[in-house]
Amino acid sequence: MKDLIQSWRHVFKLDPDKEIGDDTLEAVCMSGTDAIMVGGSTGVTYENTVDLLSRIRRYELPCVQEVSDLEAVVPGFDLYMVPMILNTGDTTWIMGRHREGIERYGYMIPWELIVTEGYIVLNGEAAVAKLTGADVSLEAGAVSAYAQIADKLMRLPILYLEYSGTFGDMDIVRTVGRSLEQARLFYGGGITNAEQAAEAAAAADTIVVGNIVYDNLEQALDTVKAVKG
Ligand code: 1GP
């Protein structure tokens, strides 16, 4: 099941805390994207996650949960993506929450479905940066060094460059891409049209498209075509 992610080039990330109509959800799920990731930084609950999962399950594509809150972990996803924020001094977000989760729920964790994401958060305005106290003032060399910790020291399957809300520095994305040996490079943040999608997809293995689904559906759908042809 975990091998699923190796073929993903395009993923839509949907936020359970945001309203999405049936027609929009259908268009997103039938768009040709490789998977839907369900998650968000704030306002994610068990109830709104169950609700969104059950609506996405009408369609055949893979649906994974990005775990941000222990109380909101819902059974029935294809995989569970667990972020570890690398560029924070606050260990809560590296392994504190993780320890708590394993202590409380370890006996029922489906380890074969867990995929760890080494996250580097680079947009200081994003909710996730504020929440985790991420150090966003990193030069390319430092970002690449964090990426190599994930890839070569920790052997994580995914390195996620997170610019949520703003289109990132593609030079940094390319530099990180060159420094990775085995991790798959996910890029997310500020992709709002086909050109940005194509540029980000040329620099990373997998692109994640979020907000534009809620702001401009047509442009969101164009990002799929730009990557998947
Ligand atoms: C957010 O990386 C994703 O976690 C996507 O970002 O919402 O800016 O597209 P956007």
Side-chain angles (χ1 to χ4, degrees), residues 13 66 119 160 162-166 188-191 208-212:
K13 190 185 281 192
E66 190 168 60
Y119 249 69
Y160 193 128
E162 171 65 294
Y163 279 91
S164 182
T166 189
I191 296 174
V208 182
V209 176
N211 277 318
I212 195 68

PDB file of all heavy atoms in Angstrom, residues 13 66 119 160 162-166 188-191 208-212, ligand 1:
ATOM      1  N   LYS A  13      -5.052  18.516  -1.789  1.00  0.00           N
ATOM      2  CA  LYS A  13      -5.204  18.457  -0.332  1.00  0.00           C
ATOM      3  C   LYS A  13      -6.483  19.194   0.053  1.00  0.00           C
ATOM      4  O   LYS A  13      -6.643  20.381  -0.239  1.00  0.00           O
ATOM      5  CB  LYS A  13      -3.996  19.092   0.381  1.00  0.00           C
ATOM      6  CG  LYS A  13      -3.993  18.832   1.885  1.00  0.00           C
ATOM      7  CD  LYS A  13      -2.866  19.569   2.621  1.00  0.00           C
ATOM      8  CE  LYS A  13      -1.530  18.875   2.494  1.00  0.00           C
ATOM      9  NZ  LYS A  13      -0.508  19.437   3.435  1.00  0.00           N
ATOM     10  N   GLU A  66      -3.651  13.211   6.401  1.00  0.00           N
ATOM     11  CA  GLU A  66      -2.431  13.789   6.966  1.00  0.00           C
ATOM     12  C   GLU A  66      -2.759  14.130   8.413  1.00  0.00           C
ATOM     13  O   GLU A  66      -3.605  14.971   8.698  1.00  0.00           O
ATOM     14  CB  GLU A  66      -2.000  15.025   6.187  1.00  0.00           C
ATOM     15  CG  GLU A  66      -0.623  15.500   6.598  1.00  0.00           C
ATOM     16  CD  GLU A  66      -0.066  16.536   5.649  1.00  0.00           C
ATOM     17  OE1 GLU A  66      -0.710  17.597   5.503  1.00  0.00           O
ATOM     18  OE2 GLU A  66       1.007  16.311   5.053  1.00  0.00           O
ATOM     19  N   TYR A 119       8.992  17.269   7.170  1.00  0.00           N
ATOM     20  CA  TYR A 119       8.454  18.546   6.703  1.00  0.00           C
ATOM     21  C   TYR A 119       9.474  19.654   6.901  1.00  0.00           C
ATOM     22  O   TYR A 119      10.064  19.781   7.979  1.00  0.00           O
ATOM     23  CB  TYR A 119       7.242  18.913   7.567  1.00  0.00           C
ATOM     24  CG  TYR A 119       5.898  18.879   6.886  1.00  0.00           C
ATOM     25  CD1 TYR A 119       5.325  17.681   6.492  1.00  0.00           C
ATOM     26  CD2 TYR A 119       5.176  20.053   6.677  1.00  0.00           C
ATOM     27  CE1 TYR A 119       4.068  17.652   5.904  1.00  0.00           C
ATOM     28  CE2 TYR A 119       3.919  20.038   6.088  1.00  0.00           C
ATOM     29  CZ  TYR A 119       3.374  18.835   5.702  1.00  0.00           C
ATOM     30  OH  TYR A 119       2.126  18.810   5.126  1.00  0.00           O
ATOM     31  N   TYR A 160       8.890  16.812   2.492  1.00  0.00           N
ATOM     32  CA  TYR A 160       7.805  17.708   2.068  1.00  0.00           C
ATOM     33  C   TYR A 160       8.255  19.154   2.263  1.00  0.00           C
ATOM     34  O   TYR A 160       8.460  19.597   3.389  1.00  0.00           O
ATOM     35  CB  TYR A 160       6.568  17.410   2.923  1.00  0.00           C
ATOM     36  CG  TYR A 160       5.257  17.996   2.446  1.00  0.00           C
ATOM     37  CD1 TYR A 160       4.130  17.192   2.299  1.00  0.00           C
ATOM     38  CD2 TYR A 160       5.102  19.350   2.157  1.00  0.00           C
ATOM     39  CE1 TYR A 160       2.902  17.701   1.889  1.00  0.00           C
ATOM     40  CE2 TYR A 160       3.898  19.874   1.739  1.00  0.00           C
ATOM     41  CZ  TYR A 160       2.798  19.044   1.606  1.00  0.00           C
ATOM     42  OH  TYR A 160       1.588  19.560   1.196  1.00  0.00           O
ATOM     43  N   GLU A 162       7.102  22.690   2.365  1.00  0.00           N
ATOM     44  CA  GLU A 162       5.771  23.266   2.618  1.00  0.00           C
ATOM     45  C   GLU A 162       5.830  24.795   2.600  1.00  0.00           C
ATOM     46  O   GLU A 162       6.379  25.425   3.512  1.00  0.00           O
ATOM     47  CB  GLU A 162       5.266  22.767   3.978  1.00  0.00           C
ATOM     48  CG  GLU A 162       3.998  23.422   4.488  1.00  0.00           C
ATOM     49  CD  GLU A 162       2.773  23.125   3.633  1.00  0.00           C
ATOM     50  OE1 GLU A 162       2.745  23.574   2.476  1.00  0.00           O
ATOM     51  OE2 GLU A 162       1.865  22.455   4.154  1.00  0.00           O
ATOM     52  N   TYR A 163       5.270  25.372   1.530  1.00  0.00           N
ATOM     53  CA  TYR A 163       5.176  26.831   1.414  1.00  0.00           C
ATOM     54  C   TYR A 163       3.714  27.269   1.539  1.00  0.00           C
ATOM     55  O   TYR A 163       3.381  28.379   1.117  1.00  0.00           O
ATOM     56  CB  TYR A 163       5.706  27.297   0.062  1.00  0.00           C
ATOM     57  CG  TYR A 163       7.215  27.408  -0.053  1.00  0.00           C
ATOM     58  CD1 TYR A 163       7.985  26.341  -0.488  1.00  0.00           C
ATOM     59  CD2 TYR A 163       7.876  28.603   0.252  1.00  0.00           C
ATOM     60  CE1 TYR A 163       9.360  26.451  -0.632  1.00  0.00           C
ATOM     61  CE2 TYR A 163       9.253  28.722   0.109  1.00  0.00           C
ATOM     62  CZ  TYR A 163       9.990  27.647  -0.338  1.00  0.00           C
ATOM     63  OH  TYR A 163      11.346  27.756  -0.479  1.00  0.00           O
ATOM     64  N   SER A 164       2.871  26.439   2.065  1.00  0.00           N
ATOM     65  CA  SER A 164       1.432  26.683   2.150  1.00  0.00           C
ATOM     66  C   SER A 164       1.043  28.161   2.065  1.00  0.00           C
ATOM     67  O   SER A 164       1.429  28.967   2.901  1.00  0.00           O
ATOM     68  CB  SER A 164       0.914  26.110   3.480  1.00  0.00           C
ATOM     69  OG  SER A 164      -0.478  26.290   3.545  1.00  0.00           O
ATOM     70  N   GLY A 165       0.267  28.503   1.027  1.00  0.00           N
ATOM     71  CA  GLY A 165      -0.240  29.868   0.889  1.00  0.00           C
ATOM     72  C   GLY A 165       0.590  30.765  -0.001  1.00  0.00           C
ATOM     73  O   GLY A 165       0.118  31.825  -0.412  1.00  0.00           O
ATOM     74  N   THR A 166       1.807  30.358  -0.341  1.00  0.00           N
ATOM     75  CA  THR A 166       2.614  31.193  -1.231  1.00  0.00           C
ATOM     76  C   THR A 166       3.459  30.298  -2.136  1.00  0.00           C
ATOM     77  O   THR A 166       3.875  29.205  -1.721  1.00  0.00           O
ATOM     78  CB  THR A 166       3.525  32.158  -0.435  1.00  0.00           C
ATOM     79  OG1 THR A 166       4.119  33.084  -1.337  1.00  0.00           O
ATOM     80  CG2 THR A 166       4.642  31.436   0.288  1.00  0.00           C
ATOM     81  N   GLY A 188       4.463  21.626  -1.806  1.00  0.00           N
ATOM     82  CA  GLY A 188       3.130  22.207  -1.673  1.00  0.00           C
ATOM     83  C   GLY A 188       3.225  23.679  -1.325  1.00  0.00           C
ATOM     84  O   GLY A 188       4.076  24.086  -0.533  1.00  0.00           O
ATOM     85  N   GLY A 189       2.345  24.478  -1.924  1.00  0.00           N
ATOM     86  CA  GLY A 189       2.278  25.882  -1.554  1.00  0.00           C
ATOM     87  C   GLY A 189       2.044  26.798  -2.735  1.00  0.00           C
ATOM     88  O   GLY A 189       2.865  26.852  -3.657  1.00  0.00           O
ATOM     89  N   GLY A 190       0.877  27.479  -2.726  1.00  0.00           N
ATOM     90  CA  GLY A 190       0.633  28.575  -3.654  1.00  0.00           C
ATOM     91  C   GLY A 190       0.530  28.193  -5.113  1.00  0.00           C
ATOM     92  O   GLY A 190       0.661  29.068  -5.981  1.00  0.00           O
ATOM     93  N   ILE A 191       0.290  26.948  -5.426  1.00  0.00           N
ATOM     94  CA  ILE A 191       0.100  26.579  -6.838  1.00  0.00           C
ATOM     95  C   ILE A 191      -1.333  26.960  -7.212  1.00  0.00           C
ATOM     96  O   ILE A 191      -2.292  26.411  -6.664  1.00  0.00           O
ATOM     97  CB  ILE A 191       0.345  25.076  -7.071  1.00  0.00           C
ATOM     98  CG1 ILE A 191       1.807  24.731  -6.768  1.00  0.00           C
ATOM     99  CG2 ILE A 191      -0.014  24.690  -8.513  1.00  0.00           C
ATOM    100  CD1 ILE A 191       2.120  23.245  -6.831  1.00  0.00           C
ATOM    101  N   VAL A 208       1.462  19.187  -4.418  1.00  0.00           N
ATOM    102  CA  VAL A 208       0.240  19.179  -3.620  1.00  0.00           C
ATOM    103  C   VAL A 208      -0.466  20.517  -3.831  1.00  0.00           C
ATOM    104  O   VAL A 208       0.137  21.577  -3.648  1.00  0.00           O
ATOM    105  CB  VAL A 208       0.558  18.973  -2.123  1.00  0.00           C
ATOM    106  CG1 VAL A 208      -0.732  18.916  -1.304  1.00  0.00           C
ATOM    107  CG2 VAL A 208       1.386  17.708  -1.917  1.00  0.00           C
ATOM    108  N   VAL A 209      -1.728  20.435  -4.223  1.00  0.00           N
ATOM    109  CA  VAL A 209      -2.508  21.638  -4.536  1.00  0.00           C
ATOM    110  C   VAL A 209      -3.666  21.736  -3.542  1.00  0.00           C
ATOM    111  O   VAL A 209      -4.446  20.785  -3.412  1.00  0.00           O
ATOM    112  CB  VAL A 209      -3.023  21.571  -5.994  1.00  0.00           C
ATOM    113  CG1 VAL A 209      -3.907  22.768  -6.309  1.00  0.00           C
ATOM    114  CG2 VAL A 209      -1.853  21.489  -6.978  1.00  0.00           C
ATOM    115  N   GLY A 210      -3.744  22.868  -2.848  1.00  0.00           N
ATOM    116  CA  GLY A 210      -4.736  23.007  -1.783  1.00  0.00           C
ATOM    117  C   GLY A 210      -5.742  24.113  -2.023  1.00  0.00           C
ATOM    118  O   GLY A 210      -6.770  23.928  -2.681  1.00  0.00           O
ATOM    119  N   ASN A 211      -5.409  25.305  -1.547  1.00  0.00           N
ATOM    120  CA  ASN A 211      -6.352  26.419  -1.481  1.00  0.00           C
ATOM    121  C   ASN A 211      -7.100  26.756  -2.760  1.00  0.00           C
ATOM    122  O   ASN A 211      -8.267  27.154  -2.710  1.00  0.00           O
ATOM    123  CB  ASN A 211      -5.603  27.691  -1.040  1.00  0.00           C
ATOM    124  CG  ASN A 211      -5.460  27.723   0.456  1.00  0.00           C
ATOM    125  OD1 ASN A 211      -6.403  27.396   1.172  1.00  0.00           O
ATOM    126  ND2 ASN A 211      -4.273  28.082   0.943  1.00  0.00           N
ATOM    127  N   ILE A 212      -6.425  26.610  -3.898  1.00  0.00           N
ATOM    128  CA  ILE A 212      -7.051  27.065  -5.145  1.00  0.00           C
ATOM    129  C   ILE A 212      -8.331  26.279  -5.455  1.00  0.00           C
ATOM    130  O   ILE A 212      -9.223  26.781  -6.137  1.00  0.00           O
ATOM    131  CB  ILE A 212      -6.036  27.028  -6.324  1.00  0.00           C
ATOM    132  CG1 ILE A 212      -6.542  27.821  -7.524  1.00  0.00           C
ATOM    133  CG2 ILE A 212      -5.676  25.606  -6.689  1.00  0.00           C
ATOM    134  CD1 ILE A 212      -6.623  29.302  -7.326  1.00  0.00           C
TER     135      ILE A 212
HETATM  136  C1  1GP B   1      -0.842  22.931   2.114  1.00  0.00           C
HETATM  137  O1  1GP B   1       1.022  22.301   0.797  1.00  0.00           O
HETATM  138  C2  1GP B   1      -0.356  22.432   0.791  1.00  0.00           C
HETATM  139  O2  1GP B   1      -0.436  22.068   3.118  1.00  0.00           O
HETATM  140  C3  1GP B   1      -0.878  23.204  -0.370  1.00  0.00           C
HETATM  141  O3  1GP B   1      -0.699  24.584  -0.215  1.00  0.00           O
HETATM  142  O4  1GP B   1      -2.988  25.501  -0.038  1.00  0.00           O
HETATM  143  O5  1GP B   1      -1.083  26.953  -0.794  1.00  0.00           O
HETATM  144  O6  1GP B   1      -2.006  25.139  -2.275  1.00  0.00           O
HETATM  145  P1  1GP B   1      -1.761  25.613  -0.861  1.00  0.00           P
END
